[in-house]
Amino acid sequence: MRIIIDMDEVMADNFPSFYREAKERFGIVVGPEDHVGKKVYDLPGLAGVRKILYEKGHFRDLPVIENAVEVIRELYEHYEVYIVTTATEFRYSFLDKYEWLEEHFPFIHHSRIVFCGDKSIVHGDFMIDDKAKNLATFSGTGLLFTSSPNLNERRYHRLNNWLDVRDYFRQERAGRTLDEA
């Protein structure tokens, strides 16, 4: 079984840098509750926050989402796990993201990392992503990882955090084992 895992807002948390930029550059204090159903840079007066995505080092210094390392390591032991991340729009994101993965997820082999511009080319059994548009073109089971911009989305099974991911796949493995017996 193949699991496709998105990076931004699933493994790596972009929001603290957006909040910091909003405050430092625009004097606007923003939190998760302020952008339910939308991106931080879609808020009035914050379109300029998006430019940090084009800056060298942005993707390199993001914090890891809680429990991601432990749960992905566990999944990696039981499934064919691929990290699939959009990287072609942001010039510096290739190296930044690769180095970030090397540091925080050294157990993921380089052949299991896919940089792309359109995730519709990816195939697998499960995809964990925070964007419904990526799940909409996926041929397997789409699993929506909770993020402020997607809180209004209702079309996909929702996983609120990495402990939910662990529970989901433990149940999947237990069900598969029972079905195979």
Side-chain angles (χ1 to χ4, degrees):
M1 298 278 250
R2 179 179 292 171
I3 303 174
I4 309 301
I5 302 175
D6 177 40
M7 191 170 159
D8 300 309
E9 298 315 319
V10 176
M11 298 169 69
D13 192 354
N14 273 302
F15 291 128
S17 60
F18 286 137
Y19 301 155
R20 184 177 53 254
E21 292 297 313
K23 185 175 182 185
E24 290 175 5
R25 294 188 188 186
F26 303 99
I28 300 173
V29 176
V30 181
E33 66 284 350
D34 298 313
H35 60 100
V36 171
K38 59 182 89 170
K39 302 283 189 184
V40 174
Y41 43 80
D42 290 336
L43 295 172
L46 291 180
V49 168
R50 190 171 192 278
K51 75 179 184 174
I52 66 170
L53 296 171
Y54 296 91
E55 294 175 2
K56 188 173 186 175
H58 168 74
F59 292 98
R60 178 66 183 90
D61 299 326
L62 298 175
V64 178
I65 291 181
E66 187 176 18
N67 300 307
V69 174
E70 298 81 10
V71 175
I72 291 172
R73 184 186 315 270
E74 184 178 314
L75 293 175
Y76 202 79
E77 293 171 5
H78 298 282
Y79 297 91
E80 184 181 356
V81 173
Y82 282 84
I83 307 307
V84 178
T85 185
T86 304
T88 55
E89 181 180 356
F90 309 110
R91 174 184 190 147
Y92 297 110
S93 70
F94 287 102
L95 184 57
D96 282 354
K97 288 182 176 193
Y98 189 81
E99 288 178 351
W100 186 91
L101 285 165
E102 277 187 321
E103 177 183 346
H104 300 290
F105 297 85
F107 57 90
I108 297 175
H109 192 269
H110 66 84
S111 65
R112 298 277 187 97
I113 300 170
V114 178
F115 294 104
C116 65
D118 180 355
K119 292 184 185 177
S120 68
I121 65 165
V122 177
H123 300 283
D125 298 293
F126 300 94
M127 177 184 274
I128 304 169
D129 205 305
D130 64 306
K131 292 182 183 64
K133 74 175 189 164
N134 293 329
L135 300 176
T137 60
F138 185 65
S139 59
T141 300
L143 302 169
L144 188 67
F145 196 87
T146 296
S147 180
S148 292
N150 73 28
L151 289 177
N152 297 326
E153 178 61 55
R154 304 283 181 248
R155 293 177 288 167
Y156 301 97
H157 182 85
R158 182 176 293 279
L159 300 169
N160 291 308
N161 55 53
W162 279 100
L163 298 180
D164 281 358
V165 172
R166 173 184 279 152
D167 291 345
Y168 180 91
F169 284 101
R170 282 183 176 170
Q171 290 175 6
E172 188 280 329
R173 271 197 324 272
R176 187 173 32 139
T177 303
L178 293 173
D179 291 344
E180 293 170 350

